[in-house]
Amino acid sequence: MSTWIATGFGALDISSHTVGGPDAELLVTGTQAEEPIGLAGAPAALYRTLVDGPISEEGLTADEVQLLREFEDFGLASKDPHSNHRIDELAVPWFDSPVHELVCGLVASIAKRDNFDVIFIKGPSLYKQGIREKRHSGDVDVLVAPEDFSRAISALEEFGWVRQAAFWDGTGINHSTALSAPINWGCELDIHEYFPGIGLPATQAFRILKDATHVETFAGVSSFVPDLEAHSVLYALHQMRPEFGTARSEYLSEVAAKAISIAGDGSYAIAKQLKADAVLRPLFQLVFPSLDLSQTGEIPLNWKWRSKDSRVAGYLYALKSLPISTRFRILVQLIWPREELVWQSDKLAKSRSTTLGQARLARYKRGMKNCLRKRRWSNSPNNVVS
């Protein structure tokens, strides 16, 4: 007679959670499923029994045995007592959105399955650490070592996540790749290869950040989150990251400074290790005026090109860092992007183009308008900075 255990890529007991509602007691990501599965009534009761298991088919009803077979099809149950994906505890969600927590559990489980590390950055962990006041994030952000980046993307595509095209794919200029899910996950995934403002090569930066993490649990699956000092640096960099031709608001500077002050002057040590001290120097001067900042490094390229006064100027500056053959490919793509990039640009600009030709024309008009506006601003005598 077969014995069974509960399996999954994360499981949550939402019976007392306000988001759960009356339709589900449990939310589970099966190892063969492309979306979270809600369980209630008899299926939820059987899964709870499996979690406390193993259980034998002996003594179960025919309906329960049939349900076990269906669980197995979705990766919710297994006859292997040593399964790496065994669920032996039903966690209570600590995210405002249990489904977003399950996304983290999914990514963490895939990373364990495929033997690479991930670090969950930003999100509700910032609230839990006291760095920010907002509890919820719309997306899930994950930092992956460059050598594991493609594997992580491919593994998530197996579960229905769709990679969004980008101009800079394959160049190392993009700091993250967005993945969207056409099903019931309710968020996007941003897979980060590096973090703008950090001056170290991405592989070295990941190693340093990995050494500055602590273990956190997402839907019952353990993974890594930056410690208070490292996370405050990443959050400050996120708040201060340049946007083409736009000065960061005083409010964002205050938010970044508050994060640094909460973490304490130990945050300067990790910023210096990451060579992020150059871009954060004004914040550290403000918050910790007694710190010795005389050996601050150089502003990294990934910050410089984002600081240009227009998107066109920034992209041309970024091109200089690429091999000549890659420059030509990207330049052609910037002038005549492939179809999915045109529609993506149209969507981000909230245009209402109905044909590809209209979308291309609208994109060119936006680019020209942006360049002319920035030129007029920079030539204005009222905007001369001495």
Side-chain angles (χ1 to χ4, degrees), residues 137-149:
S137 289
D139 299 326
V140 170
D141 293 87
V142 187
L143 185 64
V144 180
E147 61 268 25
D148 298 319
F149 189 76

Side-chain angles (χ1 to χ4, degrees), residues 104 107-108 111 116-122 140-149 152 156 174-177 189-196 198 201-213 223-226 230-231 234 237 274:
C104 295
V107 176
F116 62 86
D117 288 325
V118 294
I119 304 172
F120 290 92
I121 57 176
K122 301 191 290 183
V140 170
D141 293 87
V142 187
L143 185 64
V144 180
E147 61 268 25
D148 298 319
F149 189 76
L156 286 161
N174 265 354
H175 74 284
S176 69
T177 294
L189 257 171
D190 284 333
I191 309 297
H192 294 251
E193 192 170 357
Y194 73 92
F195 213 84
I198 292 176
T203 300
Q204 292 181 38
F206 186 86
R207 292 196 195 107
I208 289 172
L209 286 168
K210 178 62 170 52
D211 288 339
T213 60
S223 193
F224 299 101
V225 168
H231 220 171
L234 294 182
L237 290 173
L274 294 168

Side-chain angles (χ1 to χ4, degrees), residues 286-303:
L286 175 66
V287 178
F288 305 113
S290 62
L291 280 178
D292 179 10
L293 303 175
S294 58
Q295 300 300 315
T296 302
E298 296 183 359
I299 301 292
L301 172 71
N302 59 47
W303 201 265

Side-chain angles (χ1 to χ4, degrees), residues 111-132:
K112 287 183 178 181
R113 183 195 71 180
D114 295 350
N115 195 32
F116 62 86
D117 288 325
V118 294
I119 304 172
F120 290 92
I121 57 176
K122 301 191 290 183
S125 296
L126 288 168
Y127 173 82
K128 192 173 185 179
Q129 291 173 309
I131 296 174
R132 76 173 190 190

Side-chain angles (χ1 to χ4, degrees), residues 115-288:
N115 195 32
F116 62 86
D117 288 325
V118 294
I119 304 172
F120 290 92
I121 57 176
K122 301 191 290 183
S125 296
L126 288 168
Y127 173 82
K128 192 173 185 179
Q129 291 173 309
I131 296 174
R132 76 173 190 190
E133 297 179 0
K134 189 173 75 166
R135 294 174 57 96
H136 177 64
S137 289
D139 299 326
V140 170
D141 293 87
V142 187
L143 185 64
V144 180
E147 61 268 25
D148 298 319
F149 189 76
S150 295
R151 280 203 298 155
I153 299 290
S154 297
L156 286 161
E157 287 176 331
E158 294 174 18
F159 285 85
W161 293 85
V162 179
R163 179 176 185 161
Q164 294 183 11
F167 287 105
W168 301 98
D169 283 346
T171 66
I173 295 295
N174 265 354
H175 74 284
S176 69
T177 294
L179 287 85
S180 58
I183 45 181
N184 299 322
W185 289 108
C187 69
E188 285 189 350
L189 257 171
D190 284 333
I191 309 297
H192 294 251
E193 192 170 357
Y194 73 92
F195 213 84
I198 292 176
L200 284 180
T203 300
Q204 292 181 38
F206 186 86
R207 292 196 195 107
I208 289 172
L209 286 168
K210 178 62 170 52
D211 288 339
T213 60
H214 67 270
V215 175
E216 186 60 86
T217 302
F218 303 94
V221 184
S222 61
S223 193
F224 299 101
V225 168
D227 62 25
L228 178 64
E229 290 82 6
H231 220 171
S232 71
V233 168
L234 294 182
Y235 186 59
L237 290 173
H238 174 67
Q239 297 300 322
M240 300 303 293
R241 189 170 70 211
E243 293 183 2
F244 298 117
T246 304
R248 302 304 275 174
S249 70
E250 186 176 334
Y251 169 74
L252 291 177
S253 298
E254 291 173 355
V255 169
K258 182 179 179 181
I260 294 296
S261 66
I262 289 170
D265 58 10
S267 57
Y268 180 66
I270 186 72
K272 199 167 182 63
Q273 275 187 279
L274 294 168
K275 294 190 176 180
D277 51 334
V279 298
L280 294 179
R281 179 172 181 165
L283 290 182
F284 284 114
Q285 284 180 321
L286 175 66
V287 178
F288 305 113

